[in-house]
Amino acid sequence: MKRGLLGFLVLVLLSGCGSTTGFGTIVTSASVPVSPPATSAAPLLKDVPTETHTGKGDGEFATSWPADQLGFFTFDCPKCSSNVMVDTDGGEYGLVNAIGAYKGTTWLNTEPDRPTTKVTVHANAAWTATIADYRSLPVATPGATASGKGDAVFRVPEGVRTVAFTAKTRGNVAVWVHSEKVRDLLINEIGDLSKTVDVVGPAYLSVEGYEASWTITPS
């Protein structure tokens, strides 16, 4: 995929996880970036009203998302047919860099001293951009496998210690963790892979790879 600098791709405890299907979405079943410093303090999260912005083609919008709060950014351009790029003036440069129809979720304000105030979109069709708080995210439930395609962010609850990750892709796939104690790049590879990584909840886990089909299994 992706991004001049892959979006910094995770604290808060559980709630329900909605299941959807499709490109850039997640289905749950019961049963070349640069890494940031390995340690980072995550902002204390609170409930924040969701922001929704719409446009068609190239555009730009300002966001009033609180500088001290993590935001989770979902971009949807179902009829895009050329390069799709989304950049910000904050610490997460290059949120989206894809070709064709796109839907995915990443995050904002992982660097509190570089908050996002402006988002720039390059697209050739109608799009919707949403910034929401932690309540919008699916939960990575221990012992359950979640599968999906594209970019996604999960809440990892307390008690999780590892995540088994698989991917099928011809492109790049990256997995990031963000918590009170660490923000780190756990996986950054090209092509199919199967790997187990340490992820201590509560945390956030971000998958980047708009061409990738993947699964995660927390334990």
Side-chain angles (χ1 to χ4, degrees):
M1 180 168 170
K2 192 155 181 166
R3 309 178 190 176
L5 191 71
L6 277 176
F8 291 140
L9 294 168
V10 149
L11 205 191
V12 184
L13 298 145
L14 339 145
S15 91
C17 167
S19 294
T20 55
T21 59
F23 187 76
T25 57
I26 299 156
V27 179
T28 58
S29 63
S31 199
V32 182
V34 177
S35 177
T39 58
S40 172
L44 177 65
L45 298 189
K46 61 184 180 182
D47 297 354
V48 181
T50 298
E51 287 187 19
T52 300
H53 305 269
T54 60
K56 186 175 183 179
D58 294 348
E60 185 175 277
F61 61 86
T63 172
S64 58
W65 196 261
D68 64 344
Q69 296 296 304
L70 282 174
F72 300 95
F73 180 88
T74 299
F75 189 79
D76 186 12
C77 190
K79 294 185 178 180
C80 277
S81 58
S82 62
N83 192 230
V84 181
M85 298 182 68
V86 180
D87 295 324
T88 80
D89 61 350
E92 296 79 25
Y93 174 80
L95 294 183
V96 177
N97 185 0
I99 297 175
Y102 175 88
K103 184 177 182 181
T105 300
T106 183
W107 49 28
L108 296 171
N109 292 354
T110 57
E111 298 185 43
D113 59 338
R114 299 177 62 194
T116 292
T117 64
K118 183 175 67 176
V119 178
T120 303
V121 175
H122 297 285
N124 70 344
W127 49 265
T128 301
T130 304
I131 307 174
D133 65 24
Y134 65 94
R135 296 171 295 174
S136 66
L137 298 178
V139 176
T141 305
T145 296
S147 62
K149 183 177 181 180
D151 301 336
V153 182
F154 289 86
R155 283 190 286 155
V156 180
E158 188 172 4
V160 171
R161 292 293 179 266
T162 64
V163 171
F165 180 79
T166 69
K168 291 187 177 298
T169 180
R170 293 178 298 176
N172 179 253
V173 63
V175 176
W176 301 76
V177 64
H178 183 55
S179 73
E180 237 181 352
K181 297 180 179 180
V182 65
R183 184 174 78 248
D184 203 7
L185 178 62
L186 303 178
I187 296 172
N188 179 27
E189 297 187 16
I190 295 174
D192 297 350
L193 66 99
S194 178
K195 184 173 291 189
T196 297
V197 291
D198 293 333
V199 179
V200 178
Y204 294 108
L205 186 76
S206 179
V207 180
E208 288 193 337
Y210 88 97
E211 295 178 315
S213 298
W214 44 261
T215 68
I216 67 166
T217 306
S219 60

